[in-house]
DNA sequence: GAACTATTTTGAACAGCGTTCAGGAACCGA
DNA sequence: TCGGTTCCTGAACGCTGTTCAAAATAGTTC
């Protein structure tokens, strides 16, 4: 009753996301084009659009995978004495993001402000911040742990944001990892200074 | 001996920069196109290219003006007790950037990593960090004042970076200004905790 | 087997982008 | 009036995301 699909759409979807990621890694956001995607998966732009609706949806899927990987990496960071634990978290986060600069840029650059974000996006960030709050609480941050974790996350985000576009050296001579660790140290010292 | 210029190139240059800024404010980076610029200044794309070489140069000039304005705003922040002084600096910075979200995005998004930055760019950032280091030194940061100023700047950058693309609320319920002030407070408290 | 229907896939087309550059335009000096 | 010289225009190139009429391919019915 109908022309049968010539593609396994699930497989095509997965392949497209895989290729999208490779394109991003190799050429940054400008390399992620509908035609390049289609060519690489052996289909045509129209088919990609039939599967994803638009290019942004492809990027969103890459972001999902990236975030899931990040979550796994963060979860794999062994806990320990709170200060060391935080350092390891910071190191892992910075290293992860800088190894994927261009994918990172896809995560944080550009999209419309009015766009609403899918639940997994928010949930993963929430989880990440929870992982930061744990050692902070251990250090005696008490009820402020969550707030401080948010603050620390944003600070490290600042480091990575500048490093990912190659502009951290305009602000400081220190490398990203050092700055992230110092942000951790400052937070820890502020906690040790006692309750507000 | 030659066809006379039909444009005052200095005036055309200035007008182009002015229009570029308006386009950015009204429609963000995507609105800054060669044809729109040319149309708005009553010239043709070719002429714009004759004056600026390429579109990025126009963006760079807008950035220069924005940074100069920022420098003026920061210089105008009255000093006072160090903690209040820092709060005012943070407020001024955050307010300035958020009032110019789209111009801000032009400042920090996208350009090639290999690009070298003009001296005024680095100099202005240096000046900005100097302004932050002053009250920190007053608070007893000693020789660490500069390092802490860089760190604080990067932290506040993280706040603004997320706020400018409308994603700060994915991390925290607090507004940008509050987070910036808390970054200040954390830094101050870390200093008060004594030398490292 | 032919016709019809339903679905999927294609790829040309559209409007726009940054950028280039052949050639028309406009002046001066001879 | 005729080069010479410079300036400016705007068509053109190759690219972009996206759309959609048409082609392809199947099952079903006559």
């Amino acid at each position: 009753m109908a022309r049968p699909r010539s593609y396994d759409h699930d497989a095509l979807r997965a392949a497209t996301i895989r290729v999208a990621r490779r394109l991003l890694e190799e050429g940054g956001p400008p390399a992620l084009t509908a035609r390049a995607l289609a060519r690489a998966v052996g289909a045509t732009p129209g088919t990609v659009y039939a599967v994803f609706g638009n290019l942004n949806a492809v990027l969103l899927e890459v972001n999902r995978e990236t975030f899931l990987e990040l979550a796994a990496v963060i979860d794999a960071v062994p806990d320990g004495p709170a200060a060391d634990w935080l350092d390891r978290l910071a190191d892992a986060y910075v290293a992860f993001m800088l190894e994927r600069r261009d994918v990172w840029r896809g995560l944080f650059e550009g999209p419309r402000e009015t766009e609403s974000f899918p639940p997994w996006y928010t949930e993963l960030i929430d989880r990440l911040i929870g992982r930061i709050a744990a050692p902070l609480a251990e250090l005696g941050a008490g009820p402020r742990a969550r707030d401080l974790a948010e603050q620390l996350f944003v600070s490290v985000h600042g480091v990575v944001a500048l490093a990912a576009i190659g502009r951290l050296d305009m602000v400081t001579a220190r490398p990203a990892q050092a700055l992230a660790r110092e942000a951790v140290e400052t937070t820890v010292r502020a906690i040790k200074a006692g309750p507000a």
Side-chain angles (χ1 to χ4, degrees), chain A:
Chain A
M1 239 253 254
R3 171 177 181 173
R5 332 199 98 166
S6 11
Y7 304 108
D8 173 345
H9 271 215
D10 287 346
L12 181 59
R13 209 184 150 79
T16 305
I17 295 169
R18 212 173 331 127
V19 165
R21 185 157 187 170
R22 189 169 50 75
L23 290 175
L24 269 181
E25 282 162 2
E26 286 171 4
L32 185 61
T33 73
R35 289 170 180 82
L37 269 181
R39 213 176 308 127
V41 298
T44 56
T47 304
V48 173
Y49 272 81
V51 174
F52 286 94
N54 60 39
L55 261 204
N56 218 316
V58 180
L59 181 57
L60 211 60
E61 289 307 304
V62 175
N63 287 355
R64 190 219 298 272
E65 289 198 356
T66 304
F67 258 141
L68 286 175
E69 263 185 62
L70 172 63
V73 165
I74 293 297
D75 284 345
V77 171
D79 56 4
D84 297 345
W85 188 3
L86 282 168
D87 276 346
R88 280 195 293 267
L89 280 175
D91 287 352
Y93 182 76
V94 171
F96 182 90
M97 287 307 198
L98 293 190
E99 275 166 19
R100 296 161 177 79
R101 283 159 200 261
D102 287 315
V103 178
W104 181 93
R105 290 175 50 184
L107 276 178
F108 286 105
E109 280 182 14
R112 295 275 137 267
E113 201 178 327
T114 55
E115 211 177 84
S116 79
F117 290 97
W120 58 262
Y121 222 108
T122 312
E123 276 162 24
L124 280 174
I125 290 181
D126 211 65
R127 187 159 141 205
L128 182 52
I129 290 176
R131 286 285 287 184
I132 301 171
L136 290 179
E138 199 175 292
L139 283 165
R144 292 178 302 149
R146 173 77 196 188
D147 283 357
L148 284 172
E150 291 173 357
Q151 201 191 118
L152 181 52
F153 174 78
V154 173
S155 292
V156 175
H157 172 81
V159 175
V160 176
L162 286 173
I165 58 176
R167 286 181 179 175
L168 184 61
D169 55 356
M170 292 176 57
V171 177
T172 176
R174 288 167 287 167
Q177 206 185 53
L179 244 87
R181 277 178 173 246
E182 281 167 33
V184 167
E185 199 196 312
T186 298
T187 301
V188 171
R189 290 166 60 74
I191 291 174
K192 289 203 171 141

